[in-house]
Amino acid sequence: MHDRLWEIVELDFSPDELLHYETLFTIGNGYLGTRGAFEEGYPGDTPVTLVHGVYDHTPGMLVPELVNVPNWLPINIYVDGTPFKLITKTTDFMRPPEGVVLGYRRALNMRRGVLTREVLFRAPSGNIVRLEFERFASLHDIHVLAQRVRITAVDGNAHIRVESAIDADVTNAGVPHYLPEFTLDDRGDTIGVELKTQQSKYIVGVASRLVSPRRIQTGSTEKRPYTVTSFDLAQEDWVVLDKFSSIYTSRDALSPLETAQGKIAEAASVGYEELRARHEAEWAKYWATSDIHIDGDEEAQRALRFTTYHILIPAPRLDERVSIGAKTLSGLGYKGHVFWDTELFCVPPLILTQPKLARNLLMYRYHNLPGARHKAQANGYDGAMYPWESTDTGEETTPQWSDPQPDGTKIRIWTGDSEQHISTDIAYAIEKYWRWTGDDEFLTQYGAEMILDTAVFWGSRVEEKNGRFEISQQIGPDEYHENIDNSVFVNRMVVWHLQTAFAVLDWLKANAPADHQRLVEALKLTPERLALWLDITQRMYLPFDTNEGIHVQFPGFFDMEYIPVPHYTPRIGSVQAMLGHARTIQTQVIKQADVVMLMALLGENIGVPEGFSVREVMLNNWNTYYPRCDHGSSLSPAMHAWTAARLGLIDTAYELFDHAVHIDLHDNKGNVRDGIHAAACGGVWQAIVFGFCGLHIDAAGQPAVDPRLPEHWRSVTFTVYYRGEKQTFTVKNPALVSSS
Ligand code: IFM
């Protein structure tokens, strides 16, 4: 198999791109993620490893965050006494005292889940060595981390010294998360450390062993156990060193360090090549369903594999009490918090291609129902009201204040109070999972309870006034407009939610009467409550302008200042960043797909008043809202691409897709250093499968496609599970469709 379209390659190291590539080259296995920092370190680097679920709320911090665990990467190589570093890169014949990097290539192979780096290094002694690094986080055994270094004496006989270490002196960008006491083991051939987080008291144990053909010695400096080995290499001779590391926490082991040490012994006896073969075999299974093949667009193909890779590596394989944060496990952005990004952007691709992973993610919400119920109660409502930002406790963890702005002021963050559509977004993902998988056991035991108790919340949340039902003080997807009344997105999705609740109840009554009875009693689904729900679905206020034939994002939206967003190009930042927060909120600039998002989620079921054609209204909506959107959120372009494709606006759809699929690769948002934009990654999958290919369940209850491909795409092939059966679709251009 050719790997050219499976690789992201960095051919020239540039310090300016250090943090960008660290994020892009993150490896992971659903348990942890490790940024692509160098083994030998680099000034200003951020060698972060995040383990799912290990949060800490350090005193003095506004909210909890995922904790950076000890760094398992360090391998320092000395050539004739000079430490190899990427400081100087030149091809001239100078002999700087720190040595010279003569050649460099780093590549993330997404098919294999392996990160490699080759460097040609000339020491001040004049000797040249080739260093080949490789690393992976095993997908086969999530507690196994493996590194290999091959050192070749290319020119001259070199003396080599290698130091491998665990660095436990780590913080979250300066914020300490561990108690001062720690355990360190540097006695045997496996070194290790164990630490405890300050507030949450999670114990983190990391062990590591360097396997060298030569004698090793171990030792430690403060919080840094190490192993050293040294040898002479004659010209053209080479040596291979393997480093095995393992991480456990008190979330998954009683004695994390001891368990990690045991795992190292096991890994070392299996050996590097067999471990890698097992790891690659698991990746092959992932790609067998998750890969989408685009014929006719190599750049889109590679970029799409990159976004798919970054959805797969944070998806928990064995743990249903954790979820994917907005920046995955690839950076400290958004502190590892879980948003709607997961359910509406990342989960749908997994529902269709890796349903077990999707189920784990939905179970995270089930286990966190107590937090959602607590939030509802604390706000004076019934049922379950999910937090806008969620961590390990399921409690609301949205900070109330922003970091200081350039002028020193802080902005009040209202999303934790008012961005309440998250509860419906979760219900949407659950219904989609059930519809596509047919996992009735999940619905009866877990999913129904979430859909119904969040419906209970909405029943207590809506307000009956002006002869109809309204919902005040909301933030829709367009977060520039806060605490608005009657967001059409929110109100319409609440109607969808309550209608879905009825459908679920009907299904339970017919197919699982005992569970129906159990839930009716436990959630107090009285006839009065159900009558209220029905009334809400019939009399909910859905703002619509009958003159223009459009859904109104919220009443008053068009009274604000109009800003011609398309004139503000070219730009990397948002229009909001140019105009400032205070002004933007008084304008018609939209942060991200809002009414457009509604069109993506509900399609032709969006609902229009009698006498209007759905398609006409959808086009009107598009023509109204697309030019007003500044895509200030990375979530936006893919949802626009999906909708544009369905509307047949293929060139625009492709442009938006192209932007979305490169958000991280091209740093289109200018903040990739903080982590991968998970939602954009999930969004592009949906833009292709639901947008360009038009995958849907047809009237006969079978998956079907309705392709509208970009002109230059010859075909798209993708695989999905429908009710346990795998189906592969090849969508050809022009619309020739076959299924196997
Ligand atoms: O959830 C998103 C939100 O919609 C826009 N701001 C960033 C959040 C996390 O990605």
Side-chain angles (χ1 to χ4, degrees):
M1 186 184 306
H2 292 299
D3 274 357
R4 196 169 53 84
L5 298 181
W6 286 95
E7 278 193 337
I8 304 298
V9 180
E10 184 193 32
L11 280 177
D12 197 9
F13 171 68
S14 155
D16 295 342
E17 300 283 313
L18 177 77
L19 301 182
H20 178 190
Y21 275 101
E22 271 187 16
T23 300
L24 301 189
F25 287 167
T26 297
I27 55 169
N29 57 12
Y31 174 73
L32 55 71
T34 297
R35 286 170 64 80
F38 297 122
E39 286 77 1
E40 68 283 1
Y42 193 88
D45 64 354
T46 55
V48 167
T49 292
L50 299 171
V51 177
H52 264 314
V54 181
Y55 290 91
D56 185 61
H57 194 167
T58 294
M61 294 296 290
L62 283 178
V63 290
E65 65 180 335
L66 271 184
V67 174
N68 185 15
V69 304
N71 181 14
W72 55 278
L73 296 176
I75 300 178
N76 291 286
I77 300 170
Y78 298 78
V79 182
D80 300 327
T82 301
F84 154 65
K85 287 199 183 111
L86 281 177
I87 301 291
T88 315
K89 182 174 179 299
T90 175
T91 48
D92 70 21
F93 294 100
M94 282 163 41
R95 298 260 162 126
E98 61 272 29
V100 177
V101 171
L102 299 169
Y104 175 92
R105 182 184 195 270
R106 191 156 59 137
L108 174 68
N109 185 308
M110 300 170 292
R111 183 175 65 79
R112 302 166 57 217
V114 173
L115 180 64
T116 56
R117 178 170 56 134
E118 296 163 64
V119 184
L120 209 53
F121 178 66
R122 188 178 68 204
S125 61
N127 291 332
I128 298 177
V129 293
R130 179 185 302 114
L131 307 174
E132 294 161 85
F133 298 88
E134 184 173 285
R135 74 172 75 143
F136 63 91
S138 173
L139 205 56
H140 176 258
D141 184 337
I142 57 174
H143 297 284
V144 170
L145 307 164
Q147 289 163 280
R148 170 166 274 191
V149 190
R150 180 182 164 114
I151 308 171
T152 309
V154 172
D155 192 15
N157 304 325
H159 179 72
I160 306 290
R161 180 171 184 273
V162 177
E163 185 217 65
S164 157
I166 302 170
D167 183 4
D169 191 12
V170 289
T171 62
N172 277 34
V175 177
H177 276 289
Y178 296 104
L179 293 168
E181 307 77 42
F182 61 94
T183 305
L184 188 143
D185 186 354
D186 62 0
R187 289 160 306 165
D189 51 5
T190 301
I191 55 175
V193 284
E194 193 171 78
L195 306 160
K196 193 185 263 188
T197 57
Q198 290 200 35
Q199 164 272 331
S200 53
K201 305 282 188 287
Y202 287 119
I203 300 170
V204 179
V206 183
S208 181
R209 182 188 294 185
L210 181 71
V211 178
S212 163
R214 310 294 151 83
R215 208 167 66 82
I216 59 155
Q217 280 180 295
T218 56
S220 58
T221 54
E222 173 79 356
K223 282 199 182 172
R224 186 182 164 102
Y226 61 79
T227 307
V228 287
T229 183
S230 54
F231 41 84
D232 292 319
L233 271 189
Q235 182 160 330
E236 298 207 349
D237 217 354
W238 50 266
V239 70
V240 171
L241 303 171
D242 294 331
K243 178 177 179 180
F244 302 108
S245 301
S246 179
I247 300 180
Y248 279 87
T249 78
S250 48
R251 293 191 69 257
D252 36 67
L254 284 177
S255 312
L257 176 56
E258 210 182 304
T259 315
Q261 286 169 324
K263 181 57 73 179
I264 293 292
E266 188 187 315
S269 71
V270 173
Y272 187 90
E273 272 150 35
E274 175 59 21
L275 290 174
R276 191 181 53 197
R278 293 176 186 179
H279 164 72
E280 290 182 3
E282 290 303 312
W283 267 107
K285 286 188 208 160
Y286 265 7
W287 287 118
T289 37
S290 286
D291 190 34
I292 297 178
H293 184 248
I294 303 173
D295 185 6
D297 193 338
E298 292 197 343
E299 181 44 38
Q301 175 71 80
R302 186 178 13 237
L304 178 63
R305 285 182 174 145
F306 174 83
T307 51
T308 305
Y309 167 87
H310 276 289
I311 291 295
L312 291 172
I313 62 169
R317 282 164 76 80
L318 305 174
D319 194 341
E320 52 176 51
R321 287 178 185 267
V322 296
S323 188
I324 301 176
K327 299 284 187 183
T328 68
L329 296 170
S330 62
L332 298 175
Y334 289 119
K335 302 182 183 303
H337 292 190
V338 180
F339 296 67
W340 72 318
D341 305 39
T342 311
E343 282 76 16
L344 287 194
F345 295 80
C346 305
V347 168
L350 295 173
I351 291 174
L352 275 76
T353 62
Q354 309 288 341
K356 284 192 186 123
L357 301 183
R359 190 182 201 272
N360 285 344
L361 291 165
L362 297 176
M363 286 303 292
Y364 163 81
R365 295 297 190 178
Y366 179 78
H367 292 299
N368 284 325
L369 263 174
R373 287 179 175 138
H374 178 233
K375 180 172 175 184
Q377 198 185 25
N379 285 278
Y381 304 120
D382 299 336
M385 178 190 192
Y386 277 102
W388 177 245
E389 295 186 30
S390 183
T391 56
D392 52 339
T393 60
E395 298 291 330
E396 180 60 75
T397 48
T398 307
Q400 289 201 328
W401 295 96
S402 71
D403 290 333
Q405 301 298 291
D407 64 1
T409 57
K410 291 185 177 180
I411 296 173
R412 176 71 163 85
I413 297 175
W414 289 105
T415 49
D417 306 68
S418 309
E419 198 148 2
Q420 299 173 0
H421 62 81
I422 177 89
S423 294
T424 291
D425 307 333
I426 291 167
Y428 184 91
I430 294 167
E431 194 276 338
K432 193 167 200 128
Y433 172 82
W434 179 48
R435 190 153 32 96
W436 278 88
T437 62
D439 185 349
D440 295 340
E441 191 263 348
F442 173 81
L443 185 81
T444 50
Q445 298 312 307
Y446 314 106
E449 188 171 343
M450 290 187 272
I451 291 177
L452 294 170
D453 218 21
T454 43
V456 170
F457 156 67
W458 283 119
S460 69
R461 176 64 187 82
V462 300
E463 300 130 70
E464 189 170 5
K465 56 183 178 195
N466 303 318
R468 60 196 179 194
F469 288 96
E470 301 192 4
I471 308 179
S472 62
Q473 292 287 105
Q474 293 298 303
I475 301 180
D478 167 22
E479 294 170 336
Y480 290 159
H481 299 100
E482 299 163 323
N483 299 326
I484 51 144
D485 296 345
N486 295 310
S487 149
V488 74
F489 177 91
V490 174
N491 290 17
R492 177 64 186 92
M493 287 304 290
V494 168
V495 170
W496 171 91
H497 190 155
L498 297 178
Q499 287 168 339
T500 301
F502 280 121
V504 165
L505 277 173
D506 288 349
W507 185 90
L508 286 173
K509 199 171 189 173
N511 299 283
D515 291 302
H516 177 266
Q517 183 68 16
R518 172 177 60 82
L519 289 168
V520 164
E521 280 166 22
L523 307 180
K524 301 193 177 62
L525 305 180
T526 58
E528 296 72 39
R529 197 186 291 276
L530 299 188
L532 172 68
W533 289 4
L534 186 63
D535 201 10
I536 295 169
T537 61
Q538 292 164 348
R539 291 197 297 127
M540 176 66 92
Y541 174 35
L542 301 173
F544 191 87
D545 181 333
T546 45
N547 290 325
E548 302 294 330
I550 56 166
H551 290 93
V552 176
Q553 190 176 305
F554 60 88
F557 176 79
F558 292 105
D559 299 338
M560 295 183 296
E561 182 190 359
Y562 171 73
I563 301 276
V565 171
H567 294 180
Y568 289 73
T569 45
R571 62 167 198 274
I572 291 185
S574 58
V575 171
Q576 185 219 28
M578 296 178 205
L579 302 184
H581 173 78
R583 173 141 179 240
T584 309
I585 60 177
Q586 316 274 5
T587 72
Q588 294 177 34
V589 179
I590 299 169
K591 180 175 179 178
Q592 62 181 309
D594 188 296
V595 174
V596 170
M597 181 82 188
L598 193 60
M599 295 201 283
L601 296 181
L602 299 185
E604 308 238 319
N605 296 324
I606 189 170
V608 295
E610 256 187 50
F612 284 89
S613 119
V614 178
R615 191 175 155 77
E616 208 177 304
V617 169
M618 287 175 79
L619 272 168
N620 292 344
N621 283 344
W622 175 270
N623 290 331
T624 304
Y625 294 108
Y626 172 54
R628 287 171 165 80
C629 181
D630 79 344
H631 304 289
S633 163
S634 63
L635 281 60
S636 187
M639 292 301 108
H640 276 85
W642 170 359
T643 309
R646 292 327 301 150
L647 292 174
L649 308 168
I650 301 306
D651 291 347
T652 309
Y654 183 76
E655 215 175 282
L656 288 155
F657 162 79
D658 188 54
H659 181 84
V661 81
H662 289 107
I663 273 180
D664 292 316
L665 281 173
H666 293 176
D667 202 1
N668 280 346
K669 288 279 158 208
N671 60 3
V672 173
R673 61 186 175 276
D674 300 331
I676 289 291
H677 296 85
C681 295
V684 295
W685 189 97
Q686 299 189 69
I688 292 191
V689 173
F690 300 137
F692 291 128
C693 298
L695 181 71
H696 61 283
I697 297 174
D698 67 13
Q702 287 306 311
V705 289
D706 174 20
R708 283 165 205 183
L709 296 191
E711 223 173 54
H712 62 294
W713 289 11
R714 277 187 290 276
S715 68
V716 176
T717 301
F718 64 92
T719 301
V720 294
Y721 278 101
Y722 181 62
R723 304 194 163 242
E725 298 278 313
K726 249 190 192 188
Q727 296 195 29
T728 297
F729 291 87
T730 294
V731 172
K732 292 194 176 152
N733 197 5
L736 287 173
V737 182
S738 70
S739 152
S740 56

